[in-house]
Amino acid sequence: MKKVKLEVKNITKRFGDLLAVNNVSFEVYEGETFTLLGPSGCGKTTTLRIIAGLEKPDKGRVFIGGRDVTDVPPRERNVCLVFQEYAVFPHMTVYDNIAFGLKARKEPEELIARRVREVAELLGLTSVLNTKASKVGLSEKQRIALGRCLVVEPEILLLDEPLTLADAKIRETMRRELRRLQRELKITMIYVTHDQLEAMMLSDRIAVMNAGRLLQVGTPREIYEKPKNLFVAYFIGSPTINLIEGKLVRKDGKLVLEKEGLVLDATKLLEEAKGVGKIIGREIVIGIRPEDIQIDPSGHGVWKGEVELFEVSGDQLIVHIKLAEETKIRAMAPFSLRLRTGDIVGVAINPDKVHVFDRKTGERIDLLSIGEA
Amino acid sequence: MTDRPAPRSIKILANLPLNALLYAVLIIPFLLMIYLAFLKWNPAGGYEWWRAPLIGLANFHKALHDSRFLSSLGRTIAYVAIVVTIEFLLGLLLAYLLLEKFPGKKLAIAIIIYPLMLPPVVVATIFYLMFQDYGPVNNIFLRSIIGEKALGIHWFLRPDTAFISLIIADIWQWTPFIFLIMYSALSAVPKRLIEAAQVLGASNFYIFWRIRLPLIKPLIVIAIVLRALEAFKVFDYVYIMTGGGPGTSTETVSVYIYRVAIEYHDISYASAMSLIVLLLIIIVTRIFIWYSFERGGR
Amino acid sequence: MKWGRIVVTSLKYIIIGVFILWVLVPVAWIITLAFKPYQEWRVAYFIPKQPTLDNFIVLFKPEVFTGVMGATAIVEPVTKPLINSLVVSALATVLAVIVGFFSAYGASRYNTPGPFGIFFTLLTRMLPPATFVTPIMVYYANLGLLDTHLGLIALYSSVTVTYAIWILKGFIDAIPVEWEEAAMLEGASPTKVLFKVVLPLVRPGLVVAGLFIFLLNWTELLFALVLTNINAVTLPVHISKYVGAVGQLYGPQAALALIGSIVPVTIGYIIQKHLVTGFTFGMVRG
Ligand SMILES: Nc1ncnc2c1ncn2[C@@H]1O[C@H](COP(=O)(O)OP(=O)(O)O)[C@@H](O)[C@H]1O
Ligand SMILES: [Mg+2]
């Protein structure tokens, strides 16, 4: 049984007219890395600051290790926050920065020296310990901010987009380092980011937020494979998911998606799916991830279409295919696939990988469960 | 753009009026003062200064052996030390207490800085009236503590109470000065740093000592030095409230020099004392500038 | 725990409250005293039982009331010092701001050398005026400038011009230089750029510098005391004579303090945001 380290219950926070956090609840287990993921401005930082005690929620409670800490000031919560802007103390040496928390707690001098050295070692800061913190580089500042928190051994470590200021290469290594540290030290960590890739790489579980609301909590896999709504589906995954909307109707023995006079034959795509009967006649959005689409140059598959455009993405190609007027999808393909614009290709899609959403509410419609019901 | 040579017209506009003003009104008299300090000249003597005899360093020598000058100097320094210390501590405390938002804060600040805008003569008048035998300090405040005896306290007739009344006037008027500087300094400390310290477990007291104070240190130096130099000039309060008395017991340097020049007409001697004071001030100012601006830059 | 915080918070408001009282009580005393008839000058309460305007009237028409109030000395009416203060402060301010504006522009855009480094600024401000009393008196006596408005105006503007330069330089520095460059590319002469482009943009700065310097001029006592006698007496000099020499005319003295406060307090609150900047020569931004 996993132990709950943090429980956030129905927290709401307004800034004037703005609902920054809207009735958010979740639990974080001991020792896990939990990520708050969402576009900028969605209330991640505010949530984190409420957990740290720097902001008071208008409604709701926060529990740490079972204790209600909603009215406890930050310094008595034993959680530590690594700020997005790092906020190192510019007038102190790196050593004094890292030692700050222990000194504030009046720990004995030898213990402080030992712990600071350990942490500095761990983070590769030993050589700059006696430098003024205002004189070191961005990557060091980031590690100081982290080390300053590690040294006080907080119950929960909160990180607010710690890598956004770093450049791509450092970001890569820092991600790996963070993961290693978290494993080694077994810290409970809440990580905030707007970068879904980073979230997928680092997290045990992810909470996706938008406009102050918590949309879905789950493992990276769950979130990727079973996005609870359109926003999550769209936000997770790169390149973004293909979305095709319309009313699903049966016409002349065929299943077609209808939208403003345009129709798309979806017979081959949905025929086999169980429970499809329940969505016939409804306005839906079909989501298919580009990586779930195979291109068949010989023209077989669910649909046929014309290759319009290529984009290079890492070691793969993103192929834009026009299925019909106004209906285009993107598919991933290896470089080895010899394609030219204008080619007519088939696209093959595993029906299991098709996501269906209600067009009005954006909520996921699970064909299987509906079918069973 | 700053290092480009200025066009002729700009050069003339920027330099000519300024230099004309400064030379005509400040620099020439200043040179004159240096000359005067080496003369034996009293305008009551019936001849103009350019006919007066040069007497070398005699005036300076006299000043350094003039106990009234030296004690006015010492008194002024004591005055500066006392008022600046109290004003600094009070101003800093107030600035810290007013840092957080609360309803009515704007009004509170507006009230606190009120004395700063008054002419010192007005402040002197206010406290001259406050400290009269039947003024509210005796008649209302002290009488409620020590009874009718309070009415027998003659503030301006005793050296110690007269000096205290000056100090109170100064503190009343100039604590807001320190407050304003400290307030803007403390407000400028990034909120993130304070929050980082809170999250690391530091108490408000610890944060104040380890984060806020060190970060505003340069401004503390500026505030204290500016206030000290300003307080050193003290003239208005003394002139109006105590007249330097009783006797010469509250006479400050400015008042003494004024008297020597205006009441005793000893222009040369007043000039010599002025130069000595000037030298002191220049040294202090110079050290201050070196400390705040030149030592590694700010 | 919770109680501790309540105690700390209340203590904070108590300290603030006490300080506010400390500021307000003397002010309240002066205001009420100014409206008290002379029977109430020595009483132990604030609100006058028989409020009167006599204290103000006597300031303007001393010959009428001095007998009634038991004063012995005859004082001049406050009218002339008031007008003198307005004229001298205003003209000295205008002069300092104009001269300061040109120099500030040169310093901001071209680094024209001028004797207004930090050291000089501090000196003109920090030297006790008393140390400058002797030479300026002798100098003015020889030039026939004693007891003239011109003499005071020249002196006031020269000791405040460095303020004007520092405050205005801050404002000019904040104006993007591109506008001037654009005007120059269109063939405008440097002086035309100065007057047509920079001057309108720096108007708020001129107002702030002007008001601040006016405040300094209005409150100056020592120079005016030494350099004026009958003709050019300013308000602070008048106050110092009234309070020092006339004895215990408490009511009129309080009324005079009020009259002397109105202008500077009004100005002070107008430029409240910039007071710090002004008092510290721009070393501290408000
Ligand atoms: N102190 C504040 N005052 C007013 N609005 C704020 C404040 N802090 C955050 N907000 C607003 O609340 C919303 C959520 O902000 P934030 O939690 O910082 O989002 P995120 O970290 O996800 O980018 C944003 O629209 C932001 O502008
Ligand atoms: Mg954020």
Side-chain angles (χ1 to χ4, degrees), chain B residues 39 52 75 86 94 154 185 237 267:
Chain B
L39 299 178
R75 188 174 301 117
I86 297 175
L94 272 181
H154 310 295
Y237 306 143
I267 299 289

Side-chain angles (χ1 to χ4, degrees), chain A residues 107-343:
Chain A
E107 299 287 354
E109 216 37 68
E110 321 90 82
L111 177 97
I112 296 178
R114 184 164 51 74
R115 294 279 300 135
V116 171
R117 259 160 233 299
E118 277 170 19
V119 167
E121 191 77 34
L122 192 69
L123 296 173
L125 288 170
T126 313
S127 61
V128 291
L129 272 180
N130 293 319
T131 316
K132 262 264 185 77
S134 54
K135 300 239 158 71
V136 301
L138 220 50
S139 137
E140 278 90 4
K141 284 204 175 101
Q142 199 253 318
R143 281 177 280 155
I144 294 168
L146 182 59
R148 200 166 60 175
C149 276
L150 290 180
V151 88
V152 297
E153 300 179 324
E155 286 194 59
I156 308 172
L157 179 61
L158 310 172
L159 296 116
D160 191 358
E161 315 216 10
L163 301 181
T164 35
L165 288 181
D167 65 49
K169 227 192 257 163
I170 294 174
R171 204 144 63 199
E172 190 85 15
T173 39
M174 283 309 295
R175 260 183 221 150
R176 232 176 293 125
E177 281 296 293
L178 270 178
R179 195 74 181 136
R180 178 181 65 81
L181 272 175
Q182 198 270 336
R183 293 253 157 80
E184 250 172 54
L185 306 171
K186 300 195 177 52
I187 334 169
T188 311
M189 196 158 100
I190 303 182
Y191 191 93
V192 161
T193 180
H194 65 264
D195 180 342
Q196 50 98 17
L197 207 64
E198 196 168 285
M200 298 302 249
M201 282 173 64
L202 277 171
S203 327
D204 295 314
R205 289 192 307 142
I206 295 174
V208 184
M209 288 184 75
N210 187 35
R213 292 182 160 278
L214 189 74
L215 301 179
Q216 182 171 7
V217 181
T219 60
R221 197 188 178 96
E222 280 165 5
I223 293 213
Y224 177 80
E225 291 184 347
K226 282 200 184 305
K228 255 169 109 172
N229 57 39
L230 265 177
F231 180 85
V232 177
Y234 193 75
F235 196 69
I236 305 289
S238 168
T240 53
I241 194 166
N242 294 296
L243 296 173
I244 308 165
E245 55 181 50
K247 190 174 179 178
L248 189 68
V249 291
R250 203 177 278 283
K251 227 180 199 171
D252 311 329
K254 285 181 174 172
L255 273 174
V256 293
L257 265 178
E258 242 184 19
K259 192 193 164 198
E260 288 158 16
L262 299 168
V263 291
L264 182 72
D265 187 349
T267 317
K268 284 186 186 162
L269 185 71
L270 292 174
E271 202 168 40
E272 311 253 303
K274 283 182 197 142
V276 72
K278 297 283 176 184
I279 55 169
I280 288 175
R282 281 172 73 172
E283 298 272 358
I284 58 165
V285 179
I286 289 177
I288 308 155
R289 297 201 181 278
E291 55 271 34
D292 293 334
I293 299 175
Q294 284 83 44
I295 294 176
D296 188 340
S298 60
H300 294 292
V302 180
W303 288 309
K304 256 188 203 163
E306 180 187 341
V307 174
E308 267 203 341
L309 181 74
F310 303 98
E311 275 178 78
V312 177
S313 161
D315 54 357
Q316 290 212 295
L317 283 176
I318 304 171
V319 188
H320 293 235
I321 302 165
K322 183 167 151 190
L323 298 180
E325 230 19 81
E326 300 283 305
T327 309
K328 292 170 192 171
I329 58 171
R330 282 153 296 126
M332 302 299 285
F335 271 116
S336 55
L337 205 64
R338 298 265 161 228
L339 288 175
R340 271 179 312 198
T341 52
D343 284 356

